[in-house]
Amino acid sequence: MVLLLLQHILLAEFCTAQLFPAADALRSAGYTVITDLLQVTSTVSQLPRQFTLFAPLDTAFAFLMADPARADLLRYHVATQRLVFDNLTSLPLGARIETMLPDHTILVTSLEGELLRAGHLSLDGVQIVEPDLFVNEEIAVHGIAEVMKPIYLWR
């Protein structure tokens, strides 16, 4: 029992240390709501060693602080692999990206051709507005224009 508790504490400390530079970069760029959400949900302790965070602008995400589905929405904005912008732009239209929300994937809905080469990429119809906002060996963070919602929340 003590070993399990110690393992949980060490994992939480690793996740916090892992996220600190990314959270600092998010706050500096004006993405404060998502960093606050990460602190008030249990998502931090469940993060994989490598991941991608799609961070909606504060204006798009602010309503979620009071939303009971906020933990699910936050998990939906975390891909279970590290994907820098170059990785994302190399994915084919219609590709699916695994998320921390079980059985839910993000759909690559990028515009092809000139718009894609100019950096216009969208996921679930939401444009990436600040690609590679933060990148290190474990984490990639991209700013997105709106909140992406899993289909079950639209019903």
Side-chain angles (χ1 to χ4, degrees), residues 27-48:
R27 283 194 190 284
S28 295
Y31 291 81
T32 57
V33 174
I34 194 154
T35 53
D36 291 344
L37 276 172
L38 283 167
Q39 292 174 352
V40 299
T41 65
S42 62
T43 304
V44 171
S45 64
Q46 301 166 2
L47 289 170

Side-chain angles (χ1 to χ4, degrees), residues 20-148:
F20 183 74
D24 192 39
L26 282 164
R27 283 194 190 284
S28 295
Y31 291 81
T32 57
V33 174
I34 194 154
T35 53
D36 291 344
L37 276 172
L38 283 167
Q39 292 174 352
V40 299
T41 65
S42 62
T43 304
V44 171
S45 64
Q46 301 166 2
L47 289 170
R49 283 209 176 266
Q50 292 193 338
F51 63 93
T52 302
L53 175 64
F54 298 103
L57 297 169
D58 276 1
T59 53
F61 220 28
F63 73 93
L64 287 178
M65 290 305 282
D67 191 323
R70 69 182 181 212
D72 280 353
L73 279 171
L74 187 55
R75 284 186 206 93
Y76 189 67
H77 285 77
V78 179
T80 57
Q81 59 185 317
R82 179 182 166 274
L83 297 163
V84 297
F85 192 67
D86 283 345
N87 300 136
L88 291 170
T89 57
S90 69
L91 294 173
L93 184 66
R96 297 210 169 260
I97 301 169
E98 293 292 323
T99 71
M100 283 186 60
L101 186 60
D103 302 319
H104 289 84
T105 56
I106 296 169
L107 182 66
V108 176
T109 55
S110 61
L111 302 172
E112 294 184 26
E114 245 357 89
L115 288 175
L116 179 57
R117 283 190 288 282
H120 294 275
L121 178 72
S122 63
L123 305 169
D124 282 355
V126 175
Q127 185 176 355
I128 294 178
V129 292
E130 291 193 59
D132 294 338
L133 185 62
F134 176 83
V135 175
N136 69 14
E137 293 299 315
E138 294 91 22
I139 305 170
V141 178
H142 308 286
I144 58 176
E146 300 172 38
V147 173
M148 298 182 293

